Amino acid sequence: MEWEFTPQEVVKGQIGYSLADFRQGLAEEVRQNVAGDADVFTRSFHLLYDLCYALATSKDLEAHLTAYAYDPPTVQFLRELAPVMSPNVDMLGAILQRQIMDRIEAGMALENAVSEVADWHRQAVAEQAPLAH
C-alpha cells in the first residue's frame, strides 16, 4: 500500500490512521493482486495480515513460518512476500505504537499498555472481517 504520510507521523499522532483503515487498505491490495474466489481472497488476506502483525510485533519471520511448516507452498509464498510487505509492516507497527503511546500518555505503565493493546488488537481483528472478494 502507499500512503501520503509516514509511519512516523502516525506514531506521533499527527495523522489519524486506524487499524480499520489499514485492514481495509490491505484487503483492497489483496483484492487487486489475488485472483480467485472469496475463500482464496479471505485466506490470502489473513495470511498476509498475520505476517504483517507478526513482523510488526518483532516476531522473527522464520519463527512465524514454523506455524505453516505442514504447507511448504504457503511458507514459500510468505517468505517471498515478506520483503514486499515491509512498508505495510512498518505502518501496522506505527498504528500499534500509537495505541501504546495513547495509553502511556494517559498514565498507564508500559507493560500494561502493551498488554492492553494486544487485547484491543485481538478484539478489533475479530470484529473487523475483511470485505468479501
Side-chain angles (χ1 to χ4, degrees), residues 16-62:
Y17 186 65
S18 70
L19 181 61
D21 295 333
F22 176 84
R23 288 174 57 84
Q24 185 169 350
L26 182 61
E28 186 57 37
E29 188 173 87
V30 171
R31 233 179 249 104
Q32 292 174 4
N33 291 294
V34 175
D37 62 16
D39 289 339
V40 171
F41 163 78
T42 300
R43 183 168 189 265
S44 299
F45 173 84
H46 287 294
L47 282 170
L48 292 173
Y49 183 81
D50 290 348
L51 174 68
C52 289
Y53 182 77
L55 297 178
T57 57
S58 300
K59 187 171 184 180
D60 176 69
L61 175 62
E62 294 306 316

Side-chain angles (χ1 to χ4, degrees), residues 70-128:
Y70 66 91
D71 187 0
T74 296
V75 170
Q76 187 63 28
F77 172 72
L78 293 173
R79 190 173 277 129
E80 288 174 6
L81 283 178
V84 175
M85 298 304 287
S86 182
N88 294 347
V89 169
D90 293 344
M91 189 58 74
L92 180 56
I95 293 165
L96 297 171
Q97 287 175 41
R98 181 69 250 160
Q99 290 294 317
I100 292 167
M101 294 294 294
D102 286 346
R103 286 156 176 80
I104 290 171
E105 289 169 1
M108 190 176 283
L110 174 61
E111 184 177 302
N112 293 344
V114 170
S115 177
E116 190 172 292
V117 168
D119 291 341
W120 165 83
H121 176 264
R122 270 190 294 281
Q123 182 177 353
V125 168
E127 294 171 355
Q128 299 172 356

